[in-house]
Amino acid sequence: AFGKFINAGQTCIAPDYVLAPRAQVGALAEAIIAEARRMFPAAGNNADYTSMVTERHRRRLADAVAAAQAAGARVLSHDAEAAT
C-alpha cells in the first residue's frame, strides 16, 4: 500500500495489482483502505495528496468505478461514510 500511495503512485515501486488467495481478498482490501485512511486522514485537505488533472480525467475514472460497481464489484472509498 505504501508503494502505491506514495507520490500518487507515480514511482517505480508502485504496484499495479496484488495477487491474493480468494479467501483473503476482502481482508486484504480492508487492510489497504485502512492504510490509505491512516496515511491520508484528511485526503481532501492534504497537500501531499494529489488530485485529478482535469474534470475529463476525473469523470473517466468515476465512470470506470461506476461501471465496475454496476458489474458487481465492491467499491471501497477513503471516505468511510461513502464506502459501499
Side-chain angles (χ1 to χ4, degrees):
F2 178 82
K4 190 60 176 179
F5 297 143
I6 197 73
N7 198 36
Q10 301 301 305
T11 65
C12 60
I13 61 168
D16 291 324
Y17 58 90
V18 175
L19 301 176
R22 187 178 305 272
Q24 295 177 353
V25 168
L28 175 62
E30 292 291 344
I32 290 171
I33 199 70
E35 181 64 8
R37 289 178 182 138
R38 186 194 68 76
M39 288 178 69
F40 304 105
N45 297 321
N46 187 329
D48 294 327
Y49 196 81
T50 191
S51 61
M52 302 301 293
V53 175
T54 66
E55 174 58 27
R56 181 177 65 87
H57 287 95
R58 190 202 65 76
R59 173 57 33 211
R60 180 176 55 89
L61 179 59
D63 289 348
V65 171
Q69 195 168 22
R74 178 174 170 230
V75 176
L76 300 177
S77 171
H78 181 284
D79 177 6
E81 293 181 19
T84 57

